[in-house]
Amino acid sequence: MLNFIGNTLSFASYGSTFGLANIITISPTDIALAYIVAIVVSIVVAFALKLPLLPSKPYRYSFDVSAIYPTPIIAVGILSIFIVLNYTFMFNGLILAVVIGILSALFVKYLFDFVFPKPLDEDEGDEIDE
């Protein structure tokens, strides 16, 4: 993860030659703190929305959403996109991390199954009543 943060800063500082100098003022510690805030906020909001902590068993074949997966992964991914695009809003990205954490939990609770539908069982869907 630290290598990813270093690559993000290197790439964004290269872009500052063209007038995007916002990322230079943000330290790697601020970026790591924004990631941690996004993860914690997304998990807390997912618990508040009554998502389970873990998916149903067996974990390997479960397509259920939970507070641990995919909620914080979506939050970190969207926050990474904003950081690479050099948009951190205010307080070095902390406000943006909170907003993204809340929105990712809401997305997983209400829209995830519509965007990424669960696969059909081999037994369901093919049966024809005669």
Side-chain angles (χ1 to χ4, degrees):
M1 176 153 163
L2 295 176
N3 191 18
F4 174 72
I5 293 171
N7 289 340
T8 303
L9 288 174
S10 174
F11 175 74
S13 64
Y14 177 75
S16 69
T17 316
F18 303 106
L20 303 173
N22 187 20
I23 195 83
I24 294 174
T25 62
I26 297 174
S27 69
T29 308
D30 292 334
I31 293 176
L33 183 64
Y35 283 141
I36 291 169
V37 166
I39 290 170
V40 169
V41 167
S42 67
I43 291 174
V44 168
V45 173
F47 275 138
L49 293 173
K50 299 186 179 170
L51 282 173
L53 177 65
L54 295 172
S56 61
K57 290 186 178 181
Y59 300 129
R60 179 182 237 180
Y61 299 109
S62 177
F63 288 95
D64 297 335
V65 294
S66 65
I68 298 297
Y69 183 80
T71 309
I73 285 80
I74 291 173
V76 167
I78 294 173
L79 182 63
S80 298
I81 291 171
F82 277 100
I83 288 174
V84 168
L85 290 176
N86 215 8
Y87 181 76
T88 55
F89 196 50
M90 60 176 58
F91 298 115
N92 293 335
L94 291 179
I95 302 281
L96 185 65
V98 169
V99 169
I100 288 174
I102 292 170
L103 292 178
S104 68
L106 290 171
F107 172 77
V108 168
K109 173 70 176 182
Y110 297 111
L111 294 174
F112 189 81
D113 290 331
F114 293 114
V115 176
F116 304 108
K118 295 178 184 176
L120 293 175
D121 278 344
E122 294 176 2
D123 300 331
E124 294 180 13
D126 293 335
E127 297 176 6
I128 299 174
D129 294 329
E130 293 182 19

